[in-house]
Amino acid sequence: MKKHNFNAGPSILPREVIEETAKAVLDFNGSGLSILEISHRHKDFQAVIDEAEALFKEVLGVPEGYSVLFLGGGASLQFCMAPMNFLKTKAAYLNTGVWSKKAIKEAKNFGEVVEVASSADTTYNYIPRGYTIPSDVDYFHYTSNNTIYGTEIRQVPDSPVPVICDMSSDIFSTPVDVSKYMCIYGGAQKNLAPAGVTFVVVKNDCVGKVDRVIPTMLNYQTHIDGGSMFNTPPVLPIYSAMLTLRWIKKCGGVKEMERRAIERANLLYGAIDNSPIFRPTIANPADRSRMNICFVMKDEYKELEPDFLKFATEHGMVGVKGHRSVGGFRASCYNAMPLESVQALVDCMHEFEDLHK
Ligand SMILES: *Cc1c(COP(=O)(O)O)cnc(C)c1O
């Protein structure tokens, strides 16, 4: 049976990226060696990381004066690395979910944190609006897509101070005006590559302004100077990232990724909104994520949730169980997700509705 991969992360990648990666594992560039067993200093790998960086800049539209880094440690390390490099005394954070909260916790190790707004009171089921970002802070930090709760901020919030954003789960799914940011980071395992590599886009002239001693490996300057090769980088995930970026470019870039994401989201949210038994967890359409689409069963059908999970699994749906803090269901629809898989999920929901309504 065909599997439809709705995993939240690590997650679906374009089939051709997986096939090309598999080929390089067996024989990299006809060298007779696996990409797993060559030096990261080999000229053929240098060409890979150079192309990955160049394509990243081209596809996202990264302006002059910014560096693109490929690091280890996940987005979770950036929760501490960003404040370590940018927080002098005080920073502002928007709390829209568990990942924001974790970023706030780490920032508090380096200075004062002003939480400008939070949606924690209602299990993070909306995006706060109408808050004020103070002008006496070093930067404003937010999470663009809340992977667990299924909310997304697609407009850069107006900020009087430099902006930092965790874009782990919606990078390359919509155009971004990078010039509005001081730093953008994310784990690559949601939309770009297998787990193991973290991307960081950083404005060069903002680095090196704090007084504290920063350990060499945690200093952005180290990796800007070293071209992400100060130490051994995650070679294989960078290779796959390069292939994914080639694929995005070939498909038509982030504009096309966005068109596909809207098409998928309209199809699935439409089915949820019009369902006799399911309902969305995010009421305001403006707050709904196109990447992680969350839904539950209406109160009167609540006890059917395990049955639907079983039914969906039997029909080839993978990874549709909601995060334990939200319950219900979550269909993660990252860039590589074909519309046919979303249609298959919708068909499956309709079949289940016919059995139970
Ligand atoms: C998955 C995720 C993270 C955590 O990423 P790691 O690479 O596992 O540290 C952080 N932020 C967001 C928005 C995520 O989706």
Side-chain angles (χ1 to χ4, degrees):
M1 189 199 350
K2 180 167 168 42
K3 299 275 182 166
H4 302 283
N5 184 359
F6 292 96
N7 280 326
S11 39
I12 190 168
L13 288 169
R15 190 65 210 170
E16 62 191 76
V17 168
I18 291 172
E19 282 167 5
E20 286 292 306
T21 302
K23 271 192 214 154
V25 167
L26 296 173
D27 182 3
F28 176 51
N29 281 1
S31 64
L33 295 175
S34 166
I35 191 164
L36 304 178
E37 54 182 4
I38 57 155
S39 168
H40 60 294
R41 306 282 174 201
H42 190 287
K43 67 170 177 24
D44 284 7
F45 183 70
Q46 186 64 53
V48 168
I49 198 165
D50 289 348
E51 184 178 340
E53 184 190 321
L55 279 174
F56 195 113
K57 287 183 170 168
E58 182 187 340
V59 173
L60 200 63
V62 178
E64 287 290 302
Y66 285 78
S67 296
V68 170
L69 311 175
F70 297 109
L71 309 177
S76 299
L77 183 61
Q78 296 309 309
F79 295 162
C80 106
M81 211 164 145
M84 193 178 247
N85 281 266
F86 296 123
L87 205 171
K88 292 178 198 139
T89 54
K90 199 153 81 163
Y93 278 70
L94 178 62
N95 182 5
T96 55
V98 158
W99 300 117
S100 303
K101 222 171 114 178
K102 289 187 173 178
I104 290 169
K105 176 169 181 265
E106 295 306 307
K108 283 181 176 165
N109 290 322
F110 302 98
E112 192 185 328
V113 170
V114 183
E115 196 177 289
V116 294
S118 167
S119 47
D121 53 340
T122 53
T123 333
Y124 297 112
N125 67 359
Y126 68 101
I127 297 292
R129 288 186 170 74
Y131 53 86
T132 309
I133 302 168
S135 51
D136 66 340
V137 296
D138 298 313
Y139 62 81
F140 168 65
H141 177 285
Y142 75 104
T143 314
S144 56
N145 185 70
N146 299 286
T147 322
I148 294 174
Y149 310 95
T151 59
E152 189 173 10
I153 302 172
R154 281 180 289 267
Q155 281 255 309
V156 195
D158 262 329
S159 170
V161 294
V163 181
I164 302 181
C165 186
D166 173 1
M167 293 194 188
S168 292
S169 51
D170 63 354
I171 189 79
F172 294 116
S173 70
T174 185
V176 172
D177 182 352
V178 178
S179 70
K180 297 216 163 117
Y181 297 86
M182 168 164 74
C183 179
I184 294 169
Y185 65 83
Q189 68 274 20
K190 314 262 163 61
N191 248 333
L192 190 62
V197 65
T198 311
F199 60 84
V200 181
V201 182
V202 61
K203 196 170 185 195
N204 297 329
D205 64 12
C206 295
V207 177
K209 303 280 198 279
V210 292
D211 289 333
R212 72 178 59 84
V213 173
I214 303 177
T216 310
M217 270 298 284
L218 300 179
N219 194 327
Y220 289 127
Q221 196 62 53
T222 302
H223 303 288
I224 294 171
D225 295 344
S228 301
M229 293 273 257
F230 171 76
N231 70 321
T232 317
V235 169
L236 189 75
I238 291 172
Y239 183 72
S240 301
M242 176 199 76
L243 295 173
T244 303
L245 288 162
R246 278 185 189 166
W247 175 84
I248 295 173
K249 186 178 166 184
K250 189 183 73 183
C251 294
V254 284
K255 273 268 172 223
E256 173 62 14
M257 292 299 117
E258 180 178 55
R259 190 196 66 74
R260 294 181 187 186
I262 292 172
E263 197 176 28
R264 288 188 300 258
N266 285 345
L267 176 59
L268 187 47
Y269 281 119
I272 299 165
D273 282 334
N274 293 311
S275 170
I277 65 174
F278 297 101
R279 67 167 178 84
T281 57
I282 309 303
N284 183 354
D287 293 350
R288 289 177 180 173
S289 171
R290 293 174 186 150
M291 298 286 105
N292 310 97
I293 298 175
C294 297
F295 53 105
V296 292
M297 259 154 188
K298 292 181 177 173
D299 288 346
E300 59 272 36
Y301 294 98
K302 204 78 193 164
E303 76 284 359
L304 287 177
E305 284 190 349
D307 295 1
F308 178 67
L309 190 63
K310 184 158 173 283
F311 186 82
T313 307
E314 284 165 4
H315 285 71
M317 307 302 144
V318 177
V320 291
K321 192 176 192 317
H323 189 273
R324 62 189 178 281
S325 60
V326 182
F329 311 98
R330 168 175 56 171
S332 297
C333 301
Y334 297 119
N335 286 337
M337 171 67 61
L339 188 65
E340 299 76 68
S341 286
V342 178
Q343 186 63 58
L345 175 60
V346 167
D347 292 346
C348 182
M349 290 162 71
H350 287 155
E351 251 186 79
F352 190 81
E353 287 163 356
D354 288 342
L355 291 173
H356 293 283
K357 73 184 171 199

